Amino acid sequence: MTAYIQDAVRTPRGKAKADGGLATLKPQQLIAALIESLATGERQAHAPQALILGSVGQVGAQGGNIALVSKLYAQLPDEAGAWTINNYCASGLTAIGQAANMVSAGGAAAVLAGGVEMMSRVPFMADQADFYADADLPQPARYVPVVVAADRLAEREGISREEMDVVTLASQDKAAGAEGTGLVASRIAINGLSRDECARPTTAKALAALSPAFGALAKSYSEALGGLEIDHRHTLAHAPPVADGAGLALITASPNGATRGRIVAYAESGGDPAASLTAGFRAMDLALSRASLTLADMDRIEFMEAFAVTIAKFFRDYEVDQARVNVSGGHLAKGHPMGATGAILLSSLLDALDDADGRYGLVVVAGASGVGAAMVIERLAASQRRTLAS
């Protein structure tokens, strides 16, 4: 694969509430602001030939092909293509992966790709898809909300409440410590919001006092669960807050003096729909294999905290230096704007690699019903940029 990341930027994550810091804006306004931030310096030499956006709730404010709406709002060239994809919570990274495939295959020289989700305007499951209640599917494939699937996975995997408390506290502490540092260099202030406003500093004692939150919801899906009784373990603190936000990358076929990184490998994977949140692990293994690299080679990792069970499972099952993972905090602290997540994590990874003067990085995302994606990138130091551009 030959594809380069000129830059990758993100908005702060706003609370998905009427008084959230981004809630008065439209999704196309978030994307337009990021496009404007990318149209500076040497990046201007790469006129985008397409805009690909991931978005899960494609109704209402995000309906009508939000990529096309954003293209028109941002006044991109008429000739640029624009399309929107829904790959659940992997959508933003999937969009970037498709852009990388496109430029690598010669289908374009430059593509803008990322994702947007305004959950204050388009709530979770707002599309009311028939799939969510389809009783004709085989029982293991029946839709179960990801919050319920997370509890089921925690019980199956033997992930304890204490393990989930530990990773949740670490996420919050690292998010607080990242503010005002290079770890947020590519986060673009918008609408007066300059911080990820979902973060909620806490303590081990406060976490231990919380009760499991999703037992009542599980009762509504008893049939889809095959009558399974679940030992509910996730509290609200173990769940990523719903959020507004967007992320965008400029992917190109060739580098120049401003190029921040190179995409080394990319992988999509499906997984067991009943396990729901495990496909990201398989995508990660595939991407590392395609890159001929290991977790030990990764200087920084952005692993989507799709509920506390996933990051706890990652730390338990893989030999990985935890000090290199989610160094600026993760979704448990900063929130989860579904279709934007993968793009936001790629932007965060580049900042983390810059801050550490690292070389290789990894993004891993997972979504409901067995959706996963992962990407390995190489950060380009200033000397590499000059060599490649010459």
Side-chain angles (χ1 to χ4, degrees):
M1 174 178 283
T2 303
Y4 295 90
I5 307 166
Q6 288 300 313
D7 203 355
V9 294
R10 62 194 184 276
T11 69
R13 281 169 263 189
K15 295 183 296 183
K17 297 181 178 179
D19 63 348
L22 303 179
T24 59
L25 301 179
K26 297 177 180 179
Q28 60 265 32
Q29 292 177 293
L30 300 191
I31 295 298
L34 295 182
I35 290 173
E36 182 179 4
S37 74
L38 289 171
T40 59
E42 291 187 63
R43 292 185 293 263
Q44 289 180 308
H46 295 280
Q49 293 164 288
L51 171 63
I52 310 173
L53 292 180
S55 187
V56 178
Q58 294 186 31
V59 296
Q62 290 169 182
N65 187 357
I66 190 59
L68 175 61
V69 176
S70 298
K71 167 198 160 179
L72 298 173
Y73 188 87
Q75 300 182 54
L76 291 177
D78 289 346
E79 296 76 17
W83 61 95
T84 309
I85 61 174
N86 179 5
N87 194 27
Y88 285 6
C89 302
S91 297
L93 193 62
T94 296
I96 294 169
Q98 293 303 307
N101 288 336
M102 189 175 177
V103 302
S104 185
V111 178
L112 288 165
V116 63
E117 204 79 42
M118 296 287 292
M119 299 187 74
S120 60
R121 289 178 172 267
V122 185
F124 182 59
M125 295 173 64
D127 58 350
Q128 300 181 12
D130 288 354
F131 167 55
Y132 304 147
D134 189 349
D136 293 330
L137 287 166
Q139 189 273 319
R142 294 278 302 274
Y143 177 78
V144 173
V146 69
V147 292
V148 177
D151 272 337
R152 180 172 57 183
L153 182 63
E155 183 175 11
R156 284 185 181 181
E157 292 286 332
I159 302 293
S160 69
R161 165 68 184 271
E162 291 72 25
E163 289 175 277
M164 296 195 296
D165 281 354
V166 168
V167 296
T168 300
L169 182 60
S171 185
Q172 295 285 357
D173 287 348
K174 288 186 285 188
E179 291 298 329
T181 73
L183 293 171
V184 294
S186 300
R187 191 179 65 191
I188 308 301
I190 181 172
N191 204 40
L193 183 65
S194 59
R195 297 171 64 94
D196 294 307
E197 67 177 344
C198 294
R200 46 191 191 279
T202 187
T203 65
K205 182 178 180 180
L207 289 172
L210 295 174
S211 299
F214 306 113
L217 178 61
K219 292 179 180 178
S220 302
Y221 289 86
S222 177
E223 184 179 345
L225 289 164
L228 177 69
E229 293 290 334
I230 298 174
D231 175 15
H232 294 282
R233 304 178 187 189
H234 284 79
T235 70
L236 287 176
H238 300 135
V242 294
D244 295 339
L248 198 66
L250 177 58
I251 307 300
T252 63
S254 59
N256 63 25
T259 304
R260 293 185 70 185
R262 177 176 73 92
I263 296 175
V264 179
Y266 172 69
E268 293 271 352
S269 180
D272 178 3
S276 193
L277 292 167
T278 58
F281 294 102
R282 184 171 187 274
M284 175 182 72
D285 293 339
L286 284 171
L288 288 169
S289 176
R290 291 171 184 174
S292 298
L293 296 168
T294 69
L295 285 173
D297 296 314
M298 299 298 108
D299 296 300
R300 289 293 182 264
I301 298 170
E302 286 292 325
F303 189 96
M304 177 183 163
E305 294 172 352
F307 297 85
V309 63
T310 56
I311 186 70
K313 176 177 166 61
F314 180 46
F315 288 155
R316 186 195 67 182
D317 293 353
Y318 288 81
E319 293 185 11
V320 60
D321 183 353
Q322 296 185 24
R324 300 183 181 189
V325 180
N326 297 356
V327 295
S328 63
H331 271 39
L332 293 174
K334 296 189 284 189
H336 177 33
M338 300 184 293
T341 279
I344 287 172
L345 292 183
L346 179 64
S347 174
S348 299
L349 178 61
L350 283 165
D351 284 348
L353 286 170
D354 282 346
D355 186 71
D357 195 24
R359 181 180 182 185
Y360 289 117
L362 171 69
V363 178
V364 182
V365 295
S369 298
V371 170
M375 181 175 286
V376 177
I377 68 168
E378 180 185 18
R379 169 181 168 264
L380 299 181
S383 58
Q384 291 174 285
R385 297 173 191 173
R386 288 192 294 269
T387 299
L388 288 167
S390 61

